[in-house]
Amino acid sequence: MKIYLNGQFVDSADAAISVFDHGLLYGDGVFEGIRLYGGNVFRLEEHLERLEYSARAIMLDIPHTRAELSEIVCETCRQNGLTDAYIRLVVTRGVGDLGLAPWTCPKPSVFVIASKISLYPQEYYDNGLAIVTVPTRRIGPAALPPTVKSLNYLNNILGKIEARQFGALEAIMLNEQGYVAECTADNIFIVHKGELITPAISHGALKGITRDAVLDIAEELKVPLRDSSMTRYDVWCADECFLTGSGAEVVPVIALDGRRIGDGKPGPITREVLASFRRRVLVEGTRI
Ligand code: PXG
């Protein structure tokens, strides 16, 4: 496997980052998780824009233009002969002194991994996931805006550990006010009386690229749409529920906290959104 690392393509065994890189020492950096489908990078421009916004938020100057980053991502896929892949694009603060001060890091590190991804097994797309609400709250905007896709994922990792302790693969994280924010690595949607509802970004969610794609799909399918506040009650009493993310794509949820959602099977709108998403990814995107 060839990895792009600071201007070069190197073998994965040689793709090493310094122990003085602040990405490692402090989680000081930003990243994107992107998908390649049938030789097309899905919504690459949107991913690169989000990366730029994340970098701006943490005052990190990405040493590349958007066009350069786009080419680096595509070339990494070509170098590995991939047509379907998960792409991890990372920009760290770079090598610096011990101590938080980011100004001791003169040069950000940039690397891209393009590899196979292990999706949820097909049975979850067919039968749905049972998820739980975890005690760890999604970090609030007053601490670190959850819209920043930073290398510091400990908040979500604590949520993921708790999910596993409850025997679930994914979990709802509430915001500090107790409203549903999102899951540990996915956005959440419910369907109630024919309406599609997702928590507003201001409730502590990442502005997911897949979430945006589903909002477009809902418009195309003429499903009424709302982004608003959402409580666990809304999910317990929903007719349908699904999660979205670059890794998960669109995955049905059939139970929350031991309460069955709808009839306990993936619902018709969920199935339609999933089918539409799978069609879209094959035709939309940047040809590598
Ligand atoms: N919320 C959080 C906290 C995320 O990390 C999403 C929502 C969905 O966003 P996108 O843009 O992907 O629709 C994410 C994305 C992984 C992995 O390695 C994680 C994500 C995406 C792909 C892979 O577990 N998180």
Side-chain angles (χ1 to χ4, degrees):
M1 192 197 301
K2 291 284 183 202
I3 311 290
Y4 174 88
L5 177 59
N6 294 328
Q8 291 178 337
F9 286 95
V10 296
D11 243 35
S12 53
D14 303 321
I17 285 274
S18 165
V19 293
F20 291 99
D21 194 298
H22 281 209
L24 176 63
L25 288 174
Y26 302 112
D28 186 353
V30 294
F31 78 103
E32 284 295 319
I34 311 169
R35 290 292 290 273
L36 174 72
Y37 292 100
N40 298 320
V41 183
F42 188 64
R43 299 211 167 187
L44 180 55
E45 282 293 308
E46 288 86 342
H47 278 289
L48 295 177
E49 181 182 67
R50 186 171 67 183
L51 185 80
E52 288 164 6
Y53 288 155
S54 294
R56 183 190 300 222
I58 67 162
M59 300 184 86
L60 170 65
D61 286 325
I62 300 177
H64 292 289
T65 62
R66 185 166 323 169
E68 285 167 358
L69 280 181
S70 175
E71 178 52 26
I72 289 167
V73 165
C74 292
E75 182 58 22
T76 308
C77 296
R78 290 194 293 264
Q79 289 267 336
N80 288 284
L82 294 164
T83 53
D84 292 272
Y86 174 72
I87 303 160
R88 175 61 59 94
L89 165 58
V90 184
V91 185
T92 80
R93 191 74 68 177
V95 171
D97 296 343
L98 291 177
L100 294 180
W103 48 89
T104 70
C105 309
K107 193 169 154 284
S109 303
V110 180
F111 62 89
V112 181
I113 307 166
S115 177
K116 297 269 172 243
I117 187 174
S118 57
L119 298 169
Y120 287 117
Q122 182 61 34
E123 62 167 294
Y124 293 108
Y125 296 93
D126 296 336
N127 304 324
L129 276 178
I131 65 171
V132 293
T133 310
V134 287
T136 296
R137 298 295 177 96
R138 192 71 175 94
I139 204 163
L144 175 66
T147 37
V148 177
K149 200 164 167 64
S150 86
L151 291 182
N152 201 316
Y153 252 58
L154 277 175
N155 180 228
N156 303 53
I157 288 165
L158 291 184
K160 186 94 181 165
I161 290 170
E162 289 161 353
R164 189 179 164 91
Q165 287 167 346
F166 292 121
L169 293 180
E170 246 301 9
I172 285 183
M173 299 184 78
L174 305 176
N175 67 17
E176 285 167 349
Q177 288 72 45
Y179 290 96
V180 173
E182 59 178 344
C183 291
T184 67
D186 299 299
N187 292 109
I188 184 165
F189 285 81
I190 58 171
V191 178
H192 190 240
K193 296 190 190 297
E195 193 180 31
L196 190 60
I197 307 159
T198 190
I201 295 304
S202 58
H203 282 78
L206 182 76
K207 197 171 181 303
I209 305 294
T210 321
R211 177 184 184 275
D212 278 344
V214 166
L215 296 179
D216 290 347
I217 288 168
E219 220 167 281
E220 186 186 280
L221 297 176
K222 301 201 166 27
V223 179
L225 187 71
R226 188 152 56 89
D227 72 335
S228 65
S229 57
M230 184 186 288
T231 65
R232 292 201 297 161
Y233 169 89
D234 297 322
V235 186
W236 294 335
C237 301
D239 301 317
E240 302 182 31
C241 177
F242 61 86
L243 311 181
T244 66
S246 299
E249 303 181 307
V250 175
V251 62
V253 172
I254 43 97
L256 171 64
D257 304 326
R259 287 127 170 118
R260 199 176 65 181
I261 295 172
D263 63 1
K265 297 197 185 77
I269 293 180
T270 302
R271 287 184 181 284
E272 225 183 319
V273 169
L274 173 57
S276 172
F277 181 78
R278 292 235 162 117
R279 280 195 301 275
R280 233 169 216 264
V281 295
L282 294 175
V283 293
E284 239 186 55
T286 304
R287 193 89 202 135
I288 59 167

